[in-house]
């Protein structure tokens, strides 16, 4: 729809269905929270990349000042290696991550001091993001030609290397063959659905904003097909590259692959670096991996910031389109985000980071937004009107199946997943042992509700402040802007 309205997320919803304007604000808040957390990961990746240029990878040895007596090193040449499941034993990669990079404290109550190395990396990341998007989508598009294509070269190199390692087949089989018992677990399907929504940036206005830069007659069918193929195809190929290396790691250690497979930051900053350290020429493969991670992450950060900037520009076009105003506001936005992130790069910052990631940016918030988004598009704006706009844009009548999805299937699946996420909700823990204090869980739910309540809250506000009786108010607020009509 962004292609038709030529507007960003918030303004688009205001024109298509004023009653659903809160959806735009909710999506913008979620993506703002994502900007807060995602660039922290890039800062860690940059720090790892810097360490990759050393003569010996620091996470490949236990002879460093941060290592403990329980540190162990995995090596294919060490036949007497102790196993990781021994009491108190930790790998060198884990100690580098927790004791060197994070210097993690005992809990969220112990914030500690700022990690100055991560701070420098965070500054570098923000400077790169600012100067890559400060002139708008045209300058960003030129940068993306490199940042979006070069990672595929790195991914191909890592894939070929991974598949040639001993034990790679074990990892590939583990990747492709699911456990039948897990297929009956609702939590698995809920998380899979949430990942799809997050992967395609649904519900947060990203596709609407990017679509607004396309010409009116752009073939959105072709774009959607390519988006799905590239997104899912890249994920599949990346899975082969990662799990082949994890299979090699399990083969070298002589343990099941389930014991070496990590999730979340642990995969990128513990499991994979540890596997790389066991290969010949470890510095080379480490550089390739973290360069790929950085470039892919920068693309995501570019888009997130561009979504926020485009929406604000559409809301205040006169002020924001003055000479130099965009650059100044973007600088202010980056500085605000940077200031808020300082607590996340302290010794207790990992606990704060996970709190934001688990509650403010999680699938529950996105699923809730998508329920109202599809209902607004399918019922309030109207599936028939939407099909007419697509016909006007592309010259092709939309498949009737899309109407079924807009009106019934997608809202029901999103609502069911959202309800399941509440029923099977498990409080956040760190490393499966640290339990957050009650006030931290309260803060987490405040972050989650800050985006969720915007949708019904703003709708009730508009109904309450409109003129006429209740029926007239609702009917008026459900009418789209005349520009969105094909009459």
């Amino acid at each position: 729809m962004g292609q038709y309205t030529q507007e960003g997320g918030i303004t688009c919803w205001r024109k298509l269905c004023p009653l659903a304007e809160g959806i735009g604000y909710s999506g913008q808040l979620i993506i703002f929270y994502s900007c807060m957390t995602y660039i922290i990961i890039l800062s860690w990746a940059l720090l790892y990349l810097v360490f990759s240029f050393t003569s010996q990878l620091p996470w490949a040895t236990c002879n460093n000042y941060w290592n403990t007596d329980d540190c162990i090193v995995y090596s294919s040449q060490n036949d007497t290696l102790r196993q990781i499941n021994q009491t108190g034993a930790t790998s060198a990669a884990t100690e580098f991550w927790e004791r060197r990079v994070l210097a993690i404290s005992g809990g969220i109550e112990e914030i500690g001091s700022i990690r100055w190395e991560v701070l420098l990396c965070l500054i570098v990341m923000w400077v790169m993001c600012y100067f890559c998007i400060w002139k708008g989508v045209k300058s960003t598009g030129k940068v993306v030609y490199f940042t979006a294509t070069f990672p595929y070269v790195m991914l191909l190199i890592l894939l070929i290397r991974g598949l040639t390692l001993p034990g790679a087949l074990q990892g590939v089989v583990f990747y492709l063959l699911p456990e039948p018992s897990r297929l009956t677990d609702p939590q698995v399907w809920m998380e899979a659905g949430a990942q799809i929504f997050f992967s395609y940036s649904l519900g947060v206005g990203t596709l609407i904003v990017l679509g607004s830069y396309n010409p009116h007659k752009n073939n959105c069918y072709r774009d959607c097909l390519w988006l799905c193929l590239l997104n899912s195809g890249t994920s599949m190929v990346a899975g082969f590259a990662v799990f082949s290396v994890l299979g090699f790691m399990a083969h070298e250690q002589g343990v099941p692959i389930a014991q070496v497979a990590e999730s979340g930051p642990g995969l990128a900053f513990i499991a994979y670096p540890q596997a790389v350290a066991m290969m010949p020429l470890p510095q080379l493969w480490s550089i390739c991996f973290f360069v790929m991670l950085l470039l892919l992450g920068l693309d995501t950060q570019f888009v997130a910031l561009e979504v926020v900037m485009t929406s604000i520009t559409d809301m205040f076009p006169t002020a924001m389109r003055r000479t130099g105003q965009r650059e100044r506001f973007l600088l202010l936005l980056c500085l605000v985000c940077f200031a808020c992130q300082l607590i996340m790069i302290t010794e207790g910052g990992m606990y704060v980071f996970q709190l934001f990631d688990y509650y403010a940016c999680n699938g529950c918030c996105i699923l809730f937004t998508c329920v109202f988004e599809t209902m607004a598009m399918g019922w309030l704006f109207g599936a028939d009107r939407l099909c007419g706009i697509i016909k006007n844009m592309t010259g092709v009548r939309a498949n009737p199946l899309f109407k079924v999805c807009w009106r019934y299937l997608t809202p029901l699946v999103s609502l069911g997943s959202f309800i399941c996420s509440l029923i099977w909700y498990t409080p956040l823990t760190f490393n499966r042992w640290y339990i957050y204090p009650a006030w931290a869980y309260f803060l987490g739910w405040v972050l989650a509700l800050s985006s969720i309540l915007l949708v019904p809250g703003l709708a009730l506000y508009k109904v309450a402040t409109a003129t006429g009786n209740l029926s007239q108010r609702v009917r008026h607020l459900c009418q789209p802007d005349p520009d969105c009509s094909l009459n």
Side-chain angles (χ1 to χ4, degrees):
M1 287 306 300
Q3 295 166 313
Y4 189 76
T5 62
Q6 289 293 298
E7 301 286 356
I10 295 174
T11 308
C12 178
W13 281 111
R14 182 184 297 155
K15 287 191 172 185
L16 296 182
C17 183
L19 190 64
E21 185 180 339
I23 295 173
Y25 287 99
S26 177
Q28 294 302 301
L29 190 56
I30 293 173
I31 207 163
F32 175 77
Y33 289 145
S34 299
C35 288
M36 293 277 293
T37 57
Y38 206 84
I39 201 167
I40 297 290
I41 299 175
L42 298 183
S43 302
W44 294 331
L46 179 59
L47 185 59
Y48 268 77
L49 178 61
V50 171
F51 279 114
S52 298
F53 287 93
T54 57
S55 57
Q56 184 179 40
L57 295 179
W59 57 84
T61 174
C62 288
N63 301 324
N64 305 289
Y65 69 88
W66 60 83
N67 293 126
T68 66
D69 294 336
D70 296 318
C71 177
I72 59 175
V73 178
Y74 287 120
S75 172
S76 57
Q77 285 78 34
N78 189 351
D79 296 330
T80 62
L81 184 67
R82 293 180 297 168
Q83 299 302 318
I84 190 65
N85 58 6
Q86 286 184 316
T87 304
T90 55
S91 68
T94 300
E95 292 202 348
F96 176 79
W97 167 242
E98 294 183 354
R99 299 176 62 85
R100 179 65 175 86
V101 176
L102 300 179
I104 194 163
S105 65
I108 195 172
E109 306 93 336
E110 305 173 24
I111 292 299
S113 59
I114 291 177
R115 302 294 296 157
W116 68 269
E117 293 167 320
V118 182
L119 174 62
L120 291 177
C121 292
L122 182 61
I123 293 173
V124 171
M125 287 293 99
W126 273 119
V127 170
M128 291 178 63
C129 288
Y130 176 79
F131 284 105
C132 285
I133 70 170
W134 68 326
K135 291 298 183 183
V137 72
K138 291 183 178 180
S139 63
T140 307
K142 296 175 182 178
V143 176
V144 168
Y145 277 122
F146 174 75
T147 59
T149 56
F150 188 70
Y152 284 97
V153 178
M154 296 289 98
L155 182 60
L156 180 62
I157 293 173
L158 292 172
L159 174 63
I160 295 173
R161 178 53 181 158
L163 293 176
T164 58
L165 293 169
L169 182 60
Q170 177 186 352
V172 171
V173 171
F174 181 84
Y175 172 56
L176 294 178
L177 296 183
E179 295 181 25
S181 60
R182 297 285 289 167
L183 295 178
T184 60
D185 185 358
Q187 184 75 17
V188 172
W189 292 100
M190 183 192 70
E191 292 181 358
Q195 176 59 33
I196 289 296
F197 277 72
F198 181 82
S199 179
Y200 285 95
S201 297
L202 302 177
V204 295
T206 300
L207 298 179
I208 295 174
V209 169
L210 296 181
S212 70
Y213 291 102
N214 287 327
H216 177 75
K217 295 296 183 179
N218 181 69
N219 190 335
C220 58
Y221 273 141
R222 180 195 59 202
D223 289 353
C224 290
L225 176 62
W226 275 110
L227 174 65
C228 295
L229 290 176
L230 286 173
N231 189 294
S232 300
T234 301
S235 299
M236 284 293 295
V237 174
F240 281 103
V242 170
F243 277 89
S244 60
V245 173
L246 295 180
F248 160 74
M249 184 176 170
H251 171 78
E252 294 297 306
Q253 296 178 16
V255 298
I257 190 173
Q259 293 188 21
V260 301
E262 295 271 356
S263 61
L267 176 61
F269 300 111
I270 297 177
Y272 205 93
Q274 183 174 309
V276 164
M278 301 167 64
M279 300 180 190
L281 301 176
Q283 289 87 351
L284 173 63
W285 307 117
S286 180
I287 291 170
C288 289
F289 176 73
F290 287 110
V291 166
M292 179 188 71
L293 197 64
L294 276 171
L295 293 179
L296 288 175
L298 280 172
D299 279 343
T300 303
Q301 190 71 12
F302 291 162
V303 171
L305 287 173
E306 186 61 43
V307 167
V308 176
M309 290 301 302
T310 300
S311 296
I312 293 174
T313 301
D314 289 336
M315 291 173 63
F316 309 102
T318 303
M320 290 298 296
R321 286 169 183 163
R322 294 174 184 166
T323 303
Q325 189 64 24
R326 174 190 168 90
E327 291 85 346
R328 286 191 289 269
F329 186 83
L330 177 61
L331 178 61
L332 176 62
L333 176 63
C334 292
L335 290 175
V336 169
C337 290
F338 174 76
C340 295
Q341 287 171 324
L342 291 178
I343 194 173
M344 297 187 191
I345 56 174
T346 60
E347 293 172 349
M350 186 61 177
Y351 302 103
V352 181
F353 170 85
Q354 285 206 326
L355 202 66
F356 267 81
D357 185 61
Y358 191 81
Y359 288 99
C361 313
N362 70 355
C364 177
C365 301
I366 298 176
L367 288 169
F368 181 85
T369 304
C370 286
V371 171
F372 286 91
E373 181 174 316
T374 50
M375 290 181 64
M377 294 302 300
W379 294 97
L380 300 184
F381 182 75
D384 291 328
R385 182 185 282 117
L386 186 57
C387 287
I389 290 176
I390 294 176
K391 174 69 162 57
N392 178 265
M393 289 170 57
T394 65
V396 178
R397 193 73 181 175
N399 192 305
L401 178 62
F402 284 99
K403 289 186 182 180
V404 177
C405 292
W406 294 330
R407 286 176 171 168
Y408 307 104
L409 185 59
T410 305
L412 289 175
V413 170
S414 301
L415 180 61
S417 300
F418 173 74
I419 293 173
C420 288
S421 68
L422 296 181
I423 294 175
W424 282 285
Y425 161 74
T426 55
L428 174 66
T429 60
F430 179 76
N431 277 358
R432 301 184 183 91
W433 62 267
Y434 175 75
I435 306 297
Y436 283 74
W439 64 264
Y441 290 122
F442 175 79
L443 177 60
W445 278 108
V446 169
L447 291 171
L449 292 174
S450 65
S451 60
I452 288 177
L453 294 182
L454 277 175
V455 180
L458 193 57
L460 291 175
Y461 172 77
K462 283 184 170 292
V463 171
T465 55
T467 58
N469 58 44
L470 182 61
S471 176
Q472 292 173 333
R473 297 178 187 183
V474 173
R475 189 180 303 110
H476 173 71
L477 292 172
C478 289
Q479 293 297 318
D481 188 278
D483 292 339
C484 296
S485 175
L486 293 178
N487 296 333

